[in-house]
Amino acid sequence: MGKSENTLIALEAALERIAKGKPKHIPTTRKLSVRAVEEEASLGNGSGYYYPEFVEKVKKTKANIATDNGIHVQTDIQSVRSKLNEQKRIKQNYKEKYESIKDQLALFAAAQHHLNDKLVQALARIDDLNYENIDLRKQLAKANRNNITALK
């Protein structure tokens, strides 16, 4: 037997153990995949992909286990479509949040501009009142000076 045949036998045995639910090297809760079978067989990463028939066998076994458990197995196209729909939903959600926050920002900017305008008007009014106060103090001082009578 060559090395290739030994590797394939080890992979087959590992797949068999996982399918029966009694793996030696991986947890029983781990999902079935080519990588899980490679780890169960104590082989390197990617060594199972040299055997396309074996990869197909893993996929069929996975589908059989899923149907035995009552789980509907999706085809590749269905799973890609469901992921795409999920991504579209997430993108739409973020877009709605972005638009909402953008509208809030516009309202805050308008309020800020309005308050800034009111502040400028108030400061101008304060300056006007200060000048008026100075003028009134001068007039009061002048009136008080005119009311001074000489003592005899």
Side-chain angles (χ1 to χ4, degrees):
M1 263 191 218
K3 185 176 180 181
S4 174
E5 292 170 350
N6 288 338
T7 303
L8 188 56
I9 291 171
L11 288 169
E12 297 277 346
L15 179 61
E16 187 78 23
R17 287 193 303 270
I18 294 172
K20 289 181 181 177
K22 299 183 180 185
K24 294 179 183 177
H25 302 288
I26 64 170
T28 55
T29 57
R30 184 164 175 186
K31 292 182 179 180
L32 177 60
S33 65
V34 177
R35 181 66 190 137
V37 175
E38 291 168 352
E39 287 182 16
E40 176 63 23
S42 300
L43 294 173
N45 191 6
S47 57
Y49 290 100
Y50 287 105
Y51 310 98
E53 306 86 30
F54 176 74
V55 173
E56 287 301 318
K57 187 173 182 181
V58 169
K59 287 181 183 179
K60 287 179 185 175
T61 304
K62 185 176 182 179
N64 289 340
I65 291 172
T67 54
D68 290 344
N69 293 339
I71 300 170
H72 175 69
V73 179
Q74 293 183 339
T75 63
D76 291 338
I77 294 173
Q78 289 173 332
S79 64
V80 168
R81 280 191 181 139
S82 66
K83 287 179 184 176
L84 179 64
N85 289 336
E86 180 67 14
Q87 289 175 353
K88 283 182 181 178
R89 185 188 64 77
I90 291 170
K91 184 177 179 182
Q92 183 64 31
N93 188 18
Y94 281 128
K95 187 175 183 181
E96 289 170 3
K97 286 181 182 178
Y98 170 77
E99 292 297 327
S100 171
I101 291 173
K102 185 177 168 186
D103 292 342
Q104 285 179 350
L105 180 63
L107 289 174
F108 289 149
Q112 176 68 23
H113 180 69
H114 180 70
L115 290 173
N116 193 27
D117 187 45
K118 291 290 184 185
L119 178 64
V120 168
Q121 289 175 0
L123 290 174
R125 178 75 176 137
I126 288 171
D127 284 343
D128 290 343
L129 290 174
N130 281 334
Y131 288 129
E132 186 178 339
N133 190 12
I134 291 170
D135 282 343
L136 289 174
R137 284 178 189 259
K138 286 180 183 177
Q139 288 176 9
L140 181 62
K142 188 176 183 181
N144 284 340
R145 273 189 227 122
N146 290 338
N147 288 338
I148 297 177
T149 58
L151 293 175
K152 296 189 183 183

